[in-house]
Amino acid sequence: MGKATGFMDYQREETNKRDPLTRTNDWREYDTSFSDESLKRQGARCMDCGTPFCQMGEIINGATTGCPIYNLIPEWNDLVYKGRWKEALERLLKTNNFPEFTGRACPAPCEGSCTLGISDPAVTIKSIERTIIDKGFENGWITPRIPKNRTGKNVAIIGSGPAGLASADQLNQVGHHVTVYERQDRAGGLLMYGIPNMKLEKEVVERRIRLLEQEGINFVLNTEAGKDIPFEALNHQYDATILCIGAQKQRDLQMAGRDTEGIHLAMDYLTASTKHLLQGDECIDAKGKDVIVIGGGDTGADCIATALRQECNSVVQFGKHPKPPAARIGSNMWPEFPNVFTVDYAHKEATAKFGEDPRQFCIQTKRFVTGENGSLKEVHTVEMEKTTDENGKATFREIPGTEKFWPAQLVLIAIGFEGPDEQLLQQLGLDTENGNVKATYGNFMTNIDNVFTAGDARRGQSLIVWAINEGREAAHKVDEYLMGSSTLPSYLEESI
Ligand SMILES: Cc1cc2nc3c(=O)[nH]c(=O)nc-3n(C[C@H](O)[C@H](O)[C@H](O)COP(=O)(O)OP(=O)(O)OC[C@H]3O[C@@H](n4cnc5c(N)ncnc54)[C@H](O)[C@@H]3O)c2cc1C
Ligand code: SF4
């Protein structure tokens, strides 16, 4: 343990986030790294508490608690405190294939279950993680690890999001020939065409893809399995296939006026915006418009930040649920993920620009109204009251007399996802469960013998860190299937 009294000597510090107003003038990342000295102090705050709940990775009351890839957090905190960065990097890479993604965009459930968080602000685990990997790249410590021996086995991975990339990385490292098929023009899944540039710069994603290519992984882009190549033909060429196709089928809002021009699904908006930024493709432009984002989650927040950078005239975000409490309540105790009111990067930016938080809570959209020229003019809403019965079942009731009309020329629907696109699943005759590909966690094999699945495609829309977890665990199972046993780590089999 680094400094025995560190948690008493030092306060939690936040990274230098760029000024919320000025950063909306560009698309660069809003967060920056810590200085070495302040990061050492932050590492010293880790108490080496004996039972590191931060790295336990469990679901409690439906929410992620601790780190799902079991990052060895107290170990690297200690090494950072002592300035032993390279060793910290080695420890980090033992459990995490892509810390540059999680260190930037993970919601850090580890910090929610940090033991110090019982009495004080938690250790800044995520920022420490980011700085360790950024230093690794800056100092040239990350170099291609080209496998010395090849097994002669061929694996196809469909989908290049974090689940597909983690599987590919693991399987390539034990010598299998890995080919990743991706329907988009760039690899990365939602890392590339979901999460916006100001949260995760696309060069960071492309740097990792280049590295994986140098290590021997073959990427086939612009190729949709089941459409551009019939799945049967594809699967025939490989000893095993892993479906990492995500869960990108978006939930829509069917109601009066939905067909009006100017109403878009959030992912169409975000994808087009990133493609515009990277290669000048046409985008859905919020410039000069009153924008309404329907959906109170993180995808909605990313839409706000994007609309601000496109110079929208105003932006409002509707959420169905009440405003969360300022501090934990009795039913949400440590070490669970704290369900408390937070101000995301996008909300800070909107407040800086327009003087108030863009969020409206307990709002139900009723209809979209067009003007005389047929274009979108207004969104009509009503306020809701949420009640929860003794069994925890929630009911929403409209409050009479609370109807409101909001001016809008652009509406973005961000109300969640329903699972993977059905076309490929139907073509394959795959069993599904709640709309997702059916396979048990820990086994990952579908109802087709050599076809496995991992990530959002199996568990539904989730987090990068869970996609990495599933990608790693599925790779272990596939290796075992191909070779009879596996040297790849599996937390489930306690072989880390
Ligand atoms: C807007 C948005 C913001 C998010 N922000 C965060 C965040 O800040 N932090 C966080 O932890 N999580 C975030 N998430 C969730 C996170 O991005 C996902 O949980 C994660 O990317 C899932 O990884 P995956 O590999 O399972 O699937 P995906 O990343 O969805 O990748 C699936 C890939 O498969 C490809 N594909 C699908 N079908 C085929 C086919 N038939 N042939 C070839 N390719 C195919 C798709 O094009 C896609 O590239 C966000 C999600 C969204 C939508
Ligand atoms: S991956 Fe996420 S949960 Fe795990 S240590 Fe990093 S920030 Fe925390």
Side-chain angles (χ1 to χ4, degrees):
M1 173 180 180
K3 187 165 189 204
T5 57
F7 67 98
M8 295 188 285
D9 297 345
Y10 308 122
Q11 297 300 308
R12 178 181 165 112
E13 293 167 40
E14 299 297 337
T15 44
N16 289 325
K17 302 207 171 27
R18 299 170 59 216
D19 174 65
L21 195 55
T22 40
R23 72 191 186 214
T24 59
N25 295 323
D26 63 60
W27 297 83
R28 308 296 306 196
E29 279 177 5
Y30 67 87
D31 207 354
T32 57
S33 295
F34 266 122
S35 71
D36 280 12
E37 271 322 298
S38 54
L39 207 72
K40 276 183 168 189
R41 285 195 297 275
Q42 295 307 300
R45 291 186 74 234
C46 182
M47 301 196 294
D48 196 11
C49 54
T51 304
F53 289 87
C54 58
Q55 63 183 55
M56 75 181 174
E58 297 288 338
I59 302 282
I60 304 181
N61 280 340
T64 299
T65 303
C67 175
I69 43 178
Y70 323 108
N71 273 343
L72 304 165
I73 297 164
E75 292 186 34
W76 35 264
N77 279 339
D78 183 42
L79 289 165
V80 164
Y81 168 64
K82 291 174 177 153
R84 290 158 58 181
W85 292 96
K86 203 167 177 197
E87 287 163 84
L89 179 67
E90 282 160 14
R91 300 307 286 161
L92 178 56
L93 294 176
K94 267 191 153 332
T95 54
N96 192 350
N97 304 62
F98 314 122
E100 69 273 31
F101 305 152
T102 49
R104 286 171 166 75
C106 186
C110 53
E111 295 185 14
S113 46
C114 168
T115 306
L116 186 53
I118 298 172
S119 59
D120 284 88
V123 174
T124 57
I125 300 168
K126 175 177 161 181
S127 303
I128 294 177
E129 180 176 17
R130 176 186 167 162
T131 313
I132 296 171
I133 184 70
D134 283 358
K135 263 192 189 300
F137 278 106
E138 279 157 31
N139 291 324
W141 297 334
I142 310 274
T143 51
R145 300 152 307 145
I146 298 161
K148 287 199 178 63
N149 301 308
R150 289 290 176 185
T151 60
K153 303 281 185 193
N154 294 301
V155 181
I157 293 177
I158 317 294
S160 65
L165 295 180
S167 286
D169 189 18
Q170 296 293 92
L171 289 166
N172 181 54
Q173 285 304 315
V174 288
H176 304 307
H177 287 288
V178 179
T179 303
V180 179
Y181 290 88
E182 171 55 56
R183 66 183 173 190
Q184 284 285 3
D185 57 353
R186 290 172 199 254
L190 289 173
L191 302 169
M192 175 57 66
Y193 285 137
I195 301 171
N197 205 66
M198 46 280 188
K199 221 153 90 178
L200 173 61
E201 279 180 12
K202 300 312 149 200
E203 172 49 28
V204 173
V205 182
E206 299 209 311
R207 178 178 63 185
R208 177 58 70 173
I209 305 294
R210 282 196 298 275
L211 197 63
L212 293 172
E213 278 176 330
Q214 286 162 13
E215 290 173 344
I217 297 172
N218 182 26
F219 286 87
V220 182
L221 303 177
N222 294 308
T223 305
E224 183 164 348
K227 192 170 158 203
D228 299 318
I229 312 182
F231 185 80
E232 281 299 318
L234 190 148
N235 194 32
H236 193 65
Q237 300 171 43
Y238 295 93
D239 299 296
T241 299
I242 316 181
L243 297 175
C244 298
I245 55 176
Q248 297 191 14
K249 189 174 165 213
Q250 298 171 81
R251 194 167 291 139
D252 206 341
L253 197 59
Q254 291 306 342
M255 59 175 55
R258 171 63 184 89
D259 293 338
T260 312
E261 207 180 309
I263 305 173
H264 301 272
L265 294 170
M267 278 301 299
D268 298 345
Y269 174 65
L270 292 173
T271 305
S273 163
T274 300
K275 287 193 171 180
H276 178 73
L277 189 67
L278 294 177
Q279 57 211 31
D281 289 10
E282 201 179 324
C283 68
I284 300 163
D285 200 350
K287 191 176 173 71
K289 293 179 182 158
D290 298 305
V291 179
I292 305 254
V293 178
I294 302 178
D298 294 344
T299 303
D302 290 336
C303 289
I304 294 175
T306 303
L308 288 170
R309 282 161 179 76
Q310 291 177 339
E311 300 177 20
C312 62
N313 186 51
S314 70
V315 62
V316 181
Q317 182 181 24
F318 297 160
K320 183 180 172 191
H321 293 278
K323 186 176 176 181
R328 287 179 189 271
I329 56 169
S331 55
N332 174 225
M333 299 299 279
W334 177 91
E336 287 175 25
F337 190 79
N339 182 20
V340 295
F341 181 75
T342 51
V343 184
D344 204 348
Y345 79 107
H347 303 134
K348 280 203 184 99
E349 291 172 357
T351 306
K353 191 143 192 170
F354 298 121
E356 58 183 343
D357 195 300
R359 285 170 288 183
Q360 298 286 326
F361 297 95
C362 282
I363 291 282
Q364 173 75 34
T365 307
K366 296 297 287 182
R367 67 189 66 81
F368 303 110
V369 177
T370 47
E372 279 169 14
N373 59 1
S375 59
L376 183 64
K377 182 179 162 224
E378 279 171 353
V379 179
H380 291 193
T381 63
V382 66
E383 283 178 33
M384 308 279 282
E385 184 186 42
K386 182 182 178 186
T387 45
T388 311
D389 68 17
E390 60 274 15
N391 301 317
K393 189 168 180 287
T395 324
F396 290 87
R397 183 186 70 87
E398 290 184 10
I399 306 174
T402 58
E403 291 79 8
K404 204 166 168 185
F405 307 156
W406 307 79
Q409 298 87 49
L410 177 64
V411 167
L412 303 167
I413 300 174
I415 56 172
F417 297 83
E418 292 179 334
D421 295 336
E422 280 142 13
Q423 195 184 344
L424 182 60
L425 312 191
Q426 281 167 2
Q427 193 184 112
L428 291 179
L430 280 175
D431 287 350
T432 57
E433 195 169 32
N434 301 324
N436 303 316
V437 184
K438 188 173 177 184
T440 338
Y441 180 70
N443 179 7
F444 301 100
M445 195 191 273
T446 65
N447 56 308
I448 302 174
D449 181 51
N450 67 339
V451 179
F452 296 75
T453 185
D456 281 4
R458 197 201 67 80
R459 69 185 299 128
Q461 188 68 229
S462 181
L463 297 175
I464 299 167
V465 67
W466 275 116
I468 297 174
N469 163 305
E470 294 221 353
R472 289 171 68 87
E473 294 290 349
H476 173 86
K477 275 291 163 195
V478 170
D479 189 32
E480 206 172 68
Y481 170 84
L482 295 172
M483 310 300 287
S485 64
S486 177
T487 52
L488 282 173
S490 164
Y491 180 81
L492 299 169
E493 297 183 9
E494 297 180 323
S495 59
I496 276 184

